[in-house]
Amino acid sequence: MTTPRPVLVVDFGAQYAQLIARRVREARVYSEIVPHTMPVEQMLARDPVAVILSGGPASVYEPGAPSVDPALFAAGVPVLGICYGFQAMAVALGGVAEHTGQREFGGTTLTVAAQAGRLLAGLPAEQDVWMSHGDCVTAAPPGFVVTARSPRAPVAAFEDPAGARAGVQFHPEVAHTPHGQQILTRFLYEVAGAEQNWTTGSVIADQVAAIADRVGEKQVICGLSGGVDSAVAAALVHRAVGDQLTCVFVDHGLLRAGEAEQVEKDYVAATGVKLVVVDAADQFLGALAGVTDPEQKRKVVGREFIRVFERAARDLAAAGDVEFLVQGTLYPDVVESGGGTGTANIKSHHNVGGLPEDLRFQLVEPLRTLFKDEVRAIGQQLGLPEAMVWRHPFPGPGLAIRIIGEVTRDRLAVLRAADQIARDELTSAGLDRDVWQFPVVLLADVRSVGVQGDGRTYGHPVVLRPVASADAMTADWSRLPYDLIGRISTRITNEVPEVNRVVLDVTSKPPGTIEWE
């Protein structure tokens, strides 16, 4: 894919590095994340339009702390330092950062100086910002102007009037800094002179051309799961090569109500893609019989998926020259696996994990440079079904890991019914997009006493686990309206005879995880 010149986000171990990159892209400027250990010459070889130094947990004055090579500033590339990156930038350029004992965490009032610089000019003289620091810059580098301060940071922002260099102690990338996106876009447009050339339309056009050129007349296969990543990846490839693509949908019998039909009917109708459906529910349920350990469930589902997909792939390969495999890898997958160097691993369950050595394909990863929100936007522009584009993330092993205990047909039916009610009510309330994920968990090995119809019952509890998140790395429980939770509980206990108790999981991640298993 032909991408624009990037804004490089240098990651110093920040919890917000991916968020910085996303905010840059929201300004229609392409961004990439690189580790702070990357030599400056390698950064410059990418011809960046600008460099942003992220925050991080270290202290700049400690021995061995990550530093910034002064050669970066000598190259003339526009640079913005944020939090730790701001402090490291100050030290590299001759300023002073110290451990003063004056820490600032959370909401803080920023006071803008009379000489506000290009980033803060015209913004409120006092404004709320989000701080997270124990050290602070006490002296700006020579030639730099201090443009803001806070109660515990005498230098909370600075700029170089003679060049394209600036820094802020606070986090402009987070929503808790109301003017943060405006500050970032000012750096990108006014200081760095970046062009707004990263759009959904440009991504689609570039990817379609690149895929068509690479694949030529060869055949392509894609494991379609029904999730948004594989659906959008397949739709992009189909637009590029048409009937040279065949999608394989393995119905393992562990999906939620209506999801298999969504793939078989709605997706095919929207895209016209060739689809091979493999009904393997009996095979998966047989392999899962007696298995209760969650990790073992994952391994069983992954193993059986490989076997089913391998058979389907061999059948297709026998009928034509299949050389390429579509994978729905996203940019966070690349970053978290070490920045995408080398051959990417195919994710278990979801993207044909662990293919045999004798089943070799060249990977086509059309979403490799994209974040989830960008993928959804592309899916919408490609005309995919709304329900599929906005489908909540769903684990590869499906409902198998939302049943605490052995997976059986009867237990799957109970969980599907409860899950369908929760999803229906969330949709009716118009809150689908306010929730990142909404697992419904069946405690199949637990029973509790209840009273239903004037009689004593001994039924199963189900757990509602609505969570809010940006990227699933951290999450908090969603504060859904009580009346909505009440309706879901009432309907489940009325309509699903095997369930007599509904509970709400209010644990954040960490310490909990989004899924129970």
Side-chain angles (χ1 to χ4, degrees), residues 28 198-208 228 231-232 235-236 239 267 270-271 370 372-386 388-390 433:
R28 301 174 70 178
W198 182 250
T199 65
T200 301
S202 68
V203 171
I204 292 174
D206 288 348
Q207 268 293 6
V208 167
V228 63
V232 174
L236 270 173
R239 178 164 290 193
Y267 184 75
T271 62
L370 305 178
K372 178 74 82 172
D373 52 347
E374 295 172 316
V375 172
R376 294 193 196 279
I378 287 173
Q380 286 186 296
Q381 188 157 336
L382 290 171
L384 299 190
E386 192 83 358
M388 184 171 283
V389 170
W390 290 100
R433 300 186 190 182

Side-chain angles (χ1 to χ4, degrees), residues 80-81 86 110-113 115-116 119-120 131 137 140-141 144-150 153-159 166-170 183:
L80 173 67
F86 169 67
L110 184 79
T111 301
V112 179
Q115 193 171 349
L119 300 190
L120 299 172
M131 291 281 198
V137 176
F144 279 68
V145 173
V146 177
T147 57
R149 59 179 174 79
S150 70
V155 182
F158 58 47
E159 284 190 34
V168 295
Q169 180 61 69
F170 56 90
I183 292 168

Side-chain angles (χ1 to χ4, degrees), residues 41-172:
E41 57 268 24
Q42 290 185 22
M43 295 183 192
L44 298 178
R46 299 194 181 196
D47 191 25
V49 68
V51 172
I52 297 179
L53 308 175
S54 85
S59 297
V60 291
Y61 61 87
E62 292 182 347
S67 60
V68 181
D69 187 338
L72 174 65
F73 305 108
V77 177
V79 179
L80 173 67
I82 294 175
C83 195
Y84 181 87
F86 169 67
Q87 297 167 8
M89 179 179 182
V91 172
L93 290 168
V96 179
E98 299 180 87
H99 182 62
T100 63
Q102 299 292 306
R103 303 186 301 170
E104 288 179 314
F105 295 100
T108 304
T109 299
L110 184 79
T111 301
V112 179
Q115 193 171 349
R118 286 167 289 183
L119 300 190
L120 299 172
L123 297 181
E126 290 195 347
Q127 55 186 280
D128 293 331
V129 297
W130 190 260
M131 291 281 198
S132 182
H133 68 96
D135 304 337
C136 65
V137 176
T138 55
F144 279 68
V145 173
V146 177
T147 57
R149 59 179 174 79
S150 70
R152 297 184 177 183
V155 182
F158 58 47
E159 284 190 34
D160 175 11
R165 301 178 295 182
V168 295
Q169 180 61 69
F170 56 90
H171 289 275

